[in-house]
Amino acid sequence: MDTDAGAVSLRQVDQRWELVCPTRPELVAVPNAYLGYLADRNYSPRTVRTYGFGLVAFCRWAYGTGKDVEAVSTDDLLSFLSACRQQVVAGRGGPNVVDLAGRRTDRLAPASVNLRLAAVAGMYEYLAMRDPSRISPVPKGRPSSWFAQGERSGLLAHTKRRPAPRSRLRLRTPRRLPRALTPSETRALLASLRSRRDLAIAGLMLYCGLRSCEVLALAVTDVDIGGRWLLVHGKGGKDRRVPLDGDLAAAINAYLLTERPDTDSASLFVVAKGPTRGQPLTPAGLRTIFRYHRARSGVGAGAPHALRHTFGTALAEAGVDLAVMQSLLGHAHVDTTARYIHLAPTHVKASYDAARTRQRDTSS
C-alpha cells in the first residue's frame, strides 16, 4: 500500500478517538465526524478505536493516492481493497513463509481486511444518512437471509428481523470451528497457575464461559458467592446472570480473603504487586499472565478464549439445550452457539453408530 505511514494517526482526546493529519486536516474531517457519531450512539470505546484504526488505513491510502474521502468512487474502494490484500505486514516472515493453507504469512488476514472495509462502509452509510440524495460508493449485494430456526413462523413472526443488503465490499473468510483444549492440556495449564487470582480467572473462563473482557469487567459486587451467581457485563452492554460453580466460588472467596490487596478499586481482579499494585488488571496484563503460563506448561493453545471454547464444548458434549448454551455463553445469535454442537464428537459418534445399527437391523 503506497502510503505515508506518518501522515495519518489515531489519538484519544477527552475519552474520544480521533484521526490526525497535520498536512491535510480536511482528509480526516469526515472520519472524525463518523467516530463522534459512533461515540454519541454509545458504542464502546474499544469498538470506536477498532473502527478508527480501520479508517486510519483508509485515510493513509487516500493520502498516498491523492484521493478526497468525500469524492471516492466504487472503483476507488475496489482499489483500496486490492491495496489491503497486497499490503505487507512488517515483522512477519517474508514471501517464502506460508501457512498450512498455502497463504503468505506476511499479508493481512481476511478478517483484518474486513474490519477495515466495515469501518469504511459504515462511514459512507453515515454520509448517506446526513444527505439522502448522496449515492454511497459502497457496492451492495443480495439481502442477507441469516435467520434462526423457527424465526419466520409462530405468533411472533411479525417481529422477525428484516433482511438487510450486505455489502460486496468484503472478503470471503473461512469459518473455522472453535478449538477446545483436551483434558490433559487443561490439567497442565491449570497446574502451572500458582496464585489464587490466576486460578479464579482461569476458572471463570473454563467453568462459566466468560470472555477475557467480561472477566476484567467484573466488580466485587457482581459476585454472589453465597447464592453462587455472577452478574456478567457482556459485549454490547448486554448483562446476563451465570451460575457459579461451588469450587470456583470457594477459590474466588479465598482470593478475596488472602490475596487481593487493600484498594479503593471496585474491580474484582487487580494487580497484585509492583508500582500499579491495587489497580484494575488490564487486558495487556491478562495476556502477559497467560503468555507466561502457556510457556511454562507447554500448552501453546492455552489462550484465554480457548478456555471459553472448552466450556462450550463441554456443554455440547453433556447434551445441554442449545438455548441454555446460548444464554450461558452470551451469544447474540443461536448460529454462533450451534458451532459447538459440531465439537461434540462423543455424541456425534454415538448418534452415528446408533443410526448404522438401525440400518443393519432393518436390512437383515
Side-chain angles (χ1 to χ4, degrees), residues 17-276:
W17 292 96
E18 65 176 23
L19 275 65
V20 180
C21 183
T23 55
R24 286 184 60 188
E26 73 282 356
L27 183 68
V28 298
V30 172
N32 283 336
Y34 175 58
L35 294 180
Y37 163 73
L38 294 180
D40 291 338
R41 287 189 60 193
N42 205 27
Y43 275 59
S44 73
R46 185 174 299 178
T47 300
V48 178
R49 176 177 176 268
T50 300
Y51 273 58
F53 278 116
L55 294 176
V56 164
F58 179 67
C59 289
R60 286 178 177 176
W61 169 84
Y63 184 93
T65 56
K67 302 292 183 182
D68 183 3
V69 170
E70 295 195 62
V72 165
S73 65
T74 301
D75 286 341
D76 294 330
L77 292 183
L78 295 177
S79 297
F80 172 65
L81 169 60
S82 179
C84 290
R85 291 286 289 162
Q86 299 301 321
Q87 181 179 351
V88 176
V89 181
R92 296 186 183 176
N96 295 329
V97 182
V98 298
D99 59 17
L100 294 178
R103 293 184 295 265
R104 289 175 52 172
T105 59
D106 62 343
R107 296 292 172 86
L108 291 172
S112 299
V113 176
N114 282 341
L115 275 176
R116 293 181 175 183
L117 299 177
V120 173
M123 180 180 66
Y124 286 109
E125 289 176 4
Y126 164 74
L127 287 178
M129 180 188 68
R130 288 174 49 180
D131 182 7
S133 63
R134 182 187 183 91
I135 299 177
S136 174
V138 180
K140 296 295 183 183
R142 292 181 300 177
S144 171
S145 58
W146 196 40
F147 291 96
Q149 185 177 3
E151 195 173 15
R152 302 188 185 191
S153 60
L155 294 177
L156 298 179
H158 63 283
T159 64
K160 70 181 181 182
R161 294 168 299 163
R162 297 293 184 267
R166 300 186 68 182
S167 172
R168 289 185 178 178
L169 193 69
R170 62 191 306 273
L171 303 183
R172 296 186 64 181
T173 56
R175 186 165 185 176
R176 299 184 178 90
L177 295 177
R179 201 286 204 191
L181 299 181
T182 63
S184 60
E185 288 176 332
T186 303
R187 288 192 296 269
L189 183 63
L190 293 180
S192 72
L193 302 174
R194 298 303 181 190
S195 69
R196 290 186 171 92
R197 182 199 65 181
D198 297 347
L199 282 169
I201 289 174
L204 287 169
M205 299 173 181
L206 184 61
Y207 301 118
C208 298
L210 269 62
R211 304 176 178 92
S212 58
C213 60
E214 294 171 344
V215 170
L216 297 178
L218 283 174
V220 176
T221 54
D222 293 330
V223 184
D224 183 359
I225 295 178
R228 289 173 47 196
W229 282 100
L230 287 173
L231 177 60
V232 181
H233 308 288
K235 293 170 63 176
K238 301 181 182 71
D239 291 351
R240 68 183 189 276
R241 283 170 58 82
V242 176
L244 184 62
D245 177 78
D247 293 338
L248 179 57
I252 294 176
N253 189 49
Y255 158 68
L256 290 173
L257 293 176
T258 62
E259 279 191 4
R260 188 175 187 271
D262 293 333
T263 175
D264 294 332
S265 174
S267 298
L268 176 61
F269 296 111
V270 297
V271 179
K273 56 186 178 180
T276 59

Side-chain angles (χ1 to χ4, degrees), residues 320-353:
V320 176
D321 183 79
L322 196 60
V324 176
M325 290 178 56
Q326 181 185 5
S327 176
L328 290 173
L329 290 165
H331 288 151
H333 200 279
V334 72
D335 281 3
T336 308
T337 313
R339 293 186 301 167
Y340 289 98
I341 301 300
H342 303 291
L343 290 177
T346 303
H347 289 272
V348 171
K349 187 175 185 300
S351 299
Y352 173 78
D353 291 341

